[in-house]
Amino acid sequence: MFYNTNKRSISKEKGKFLIIPKSNCDDDPPFIVYLVTVSHSQWKERSAIRQTWGKDLRPNGKRTVAYFLLGYNTKYQSMILNESLYYNDIIQKNFTDTYHNLTLKVMMGIEWVHEFCPSVSFVMKTDSDMFVNTYYLTELLSQKNWTQLYTGFIKNKEKPIRYKLSKWYLTKEEYPQSTFPPFCSGTGYVFSGDLTGKIIAVSKHIPILKLEDVYIGLCFQKLNVTPVELNSAQPFHARKVEFSICNFHKLVTSHQVSPVELLIYWKTLEENSKEECWKKMEEFRWA
Ligand SMILES: *[C@@H]1O[C@H](CO)[C@@H](O)[C@H](O)[C@H]1NC(C)=O
Ligand SMILES: *[C@@H]1O[C@H](CO)[C@@H](O)[C@H](O)[C@H]1NC(C)=O
Ligand SMILES: *[C@@H]1O[C@H](CO)[C@@H](O)[C@H](O)[C@H]1NC(C)=O
Ligand SMILES: *[C@@H]1O[C@H](CO)[C@@H](O)[C@H](O)[C@H]1NC(C)=O
């Protein structure tokens, strides 16, 4: 069971953060904050992300930083508390950490940004099995002074799944309409910092839906914010893209990346710059 309209007060009852990282946001406002959904036992995933795109990086002097979103689980709590003392990058509230509560988890992250890091330029929600090219994303986001930006892998005119055994099954009570609003895939979407407070405000009027990315799409629809493409060539991929140095220098996300793959991809990209990639391609062409 996940909670529905009648139980909307839950976010108030369980509204207190159990773990809040120190953000440094006032002194050193981040350009991008990554909100990463993980489960407790994904130690390897968190570790790989901390060593790669989740590092406190400064592409072109612009700070990017990742935070992990967790619900509560007694079994892991002492380990999670310890981990958070070490890395200071865990955001936690007291809700049961299940797939059905994913929307709560993401809203918790957005609330945290709103309260503790309102000076951020952009927020990206993504998952623990994602490759994120933080350098390329920073470059793309720097091309304009964005406001009211909502971007990612856009899904138009998707329909709710009415097949009971599906992970994404929705009853007509949960979602009566026959299509979803345009929304960006939950594998990785970005919105500008000016929208965080607005999402929270508008969410109070939209019954929770377990499909987190659709829910955010509903919030943006109500705010009259439509998703836009960030670049003419799609940089957000909701599937697994085959690794190559040139491919990965020119994309923002790829899906289903294991911690080991992530570490290897990152190292390979650090050792082979974009320029070298084009040079090698030229050599190959003339060989
Ligand atoms: C606490 O976390 C650190 C860093 O992850 C780890 O090295 C250490 O073993 C942990 N200690 C306990 C008691 O779990
Ligand atoms: C979490 O909420 C439950 C139910 O409201 C409560 O019994 C429990 O003490 C809370 N746990 C923490 C760590 O706050
Ligand atoms: C979270 O999910 C669990 C199980 O799926 C459910 O019982 C609970 O009501 C949900 N909400 C909260 C706030 O924990
Ligand atoms: C964005 O605005 C700043 C300050 O107004 C300006 O210096 C900068 O050139 C602008 N950047 C772009 C890409 O328009």
Side-chain angles (χ1 to χ4, degrees):
M1 275 295 289
F2 55 93
Y3 80 99
N4 59 32
T5 352
N6 312 330
K7 297 184 189 161
R8 292 227 85 252
S9 55
I10 273 170
S11 77
K12 272 201 195 102
E13 283 165 27
K14 306 209 169 174
K16 282 194 214 113
F17 290 95
L18 296 179
I19 301 180
I20 304 173
K22 285 191 206 81
S23 69
N24 265 351
C25 282
D26 292 338
D27 304 333
D28 192 5
F31 187 62
I32 305 172
V33 160
Y34 296 110
L35 297 174
V36 191
T37 53
V38 281
S39 57
H40 295 80
S41 60
Q42 289 181 318
W43 320 103
K44 285 186 184 145
E45 284 79 356
R46 288 194 292 278
S47 166
I49 291 169
R50 284 183 184 118
Q51 293 172 63
T52 58
W53 54 267
K55 272 195 278 193
D56 196 327
L57 287 167
R58 290 179 194 263
N60 281 324
K62 292 175 173 173
R63 177 175 175 227
T64 64
V65 57
Y67 295 100
F68 298 101
L69 308 179
L70 279 175
Y72 185 74
N73 186 330
T74 326
K75 191 174 139 199
Y76 293 105
Q77 192 58 10
S78 64
M79 287 182 275
I80 292 298
L81 277 168
N82 172 53
E83 190 179 329
S84 122
L85 287 177
Y86 262 77
Y87 298 106
N88 208 6
D89 60 4
I90 289 172
I91 302 172
Q92 188 191 44
K93 274 194 183 185
N94 187 7
F95 58 84
T96 320
D97 203 312
T98 57
Y99 180 71
H100 277 173
N101 285 336
L102 193 58
T103 303
L104 277 187
K105 193 180 244 190
V106 172
M107 289 308 295
M108 164 184 80
I110 298 174
E111 253 178 68
W112 179 84
V113 172
H114 183 58
E115 260 184 66
F116 300 100
C117 202
S119 49
V120 67
S121 306
F122 299 97
V123 178
M124 175 169 184
K125 183 267 154 179
T126 186
D127 293 335
S128 57
D129 59 348
M130 298 298 293
F131 168 89
V132 178
N133 186 335
T134 190
Y135 293 98
Y136 191 45
L137 179 59
T138 301
E139 187 185 316
L140 291 176
L141 291 172
S142 302
Q143 285 169 0
K144 262 197 202 174
N145 281 322
W146 294 101
T147 54
Q148 304 252 80
L149 173 70
Y150 171 38
T151 187
F153 183 81
I154 301 169
K155 298 188 168 191
N156 272 313
K157 302 201 176 91
E158 293 244 332
K159 293 183 190 317
I161 294 177
R162 305 294 189 196
Y163 169 64
K164 268 195 183 142
L165 297 178
S166 167
K167 181 180 176 187
W168 299 287
Y169 171 61
L170 287 180
T171 64
K172 294 218 164 133
E173 284 74 50
E174 287 160 352
Y175 193 84
Q177 297 90 315
S178 61
T179 55
F180 290 142
F183 69 98
C184 297
S185 159
T187 51
Y189 56 83
V190 177
F191 54 88
S192 47
D194 57 319
L195 291 172
T196 50
K198 292 183 181 162
I199 298 171
I200 292 164
V202 82
S203 74
K204 304 210 158 48
H205 309 288
I206 302 174
I208 207 94
L209 196 69
K210 67 187 166 189
L211 305 181
E212 159 264 325
D213 47 9
V214 175
Y215 185 74
I216 296 296
L218 286 166
C219 291
F220 281 125
Q221 186 185 48
K222 195 131 196 167
L223 292 169
N224 276 325
V225 175
T226 34
V228 294
E229 304 286 357
L230 191 54
N231 195 38
S232 51
Q234 176 60 269
F236 294 93
H237 299 274
R239 62 181 172 89
K240 187 178 176 79
V241 180
E242 198 186 332
F243 182 80
S244 87
I245 295 164
C246 290
N247 273 350
F248 272 55
H249 272 306
K250 284 279 177 195
L251 59 70
V252 171
T253 59
S254 176
H255 195 190
Q256 288 162 340
V257 178
S258 73
V260 172
E261 284 172 321
L262 181 54
L263 293 168
I264 295 172
Y265 294 176
W266 196 261
K267 190 159 185 283
T268 310
L269 291 170
E270 279 187 336
E271 287 167 0
N272 297 273
S273 70
K274 216 186 275 185
E275 293 70 28
E276 278 170 81
C277 145
W278 305 127
K279 216 163 68 194
K280 278 182 189 156
M281 273 178 60
E282 283 293 299
E283 281 165 19
F284 179 75
R285 200 139 66 97
W286 301 113

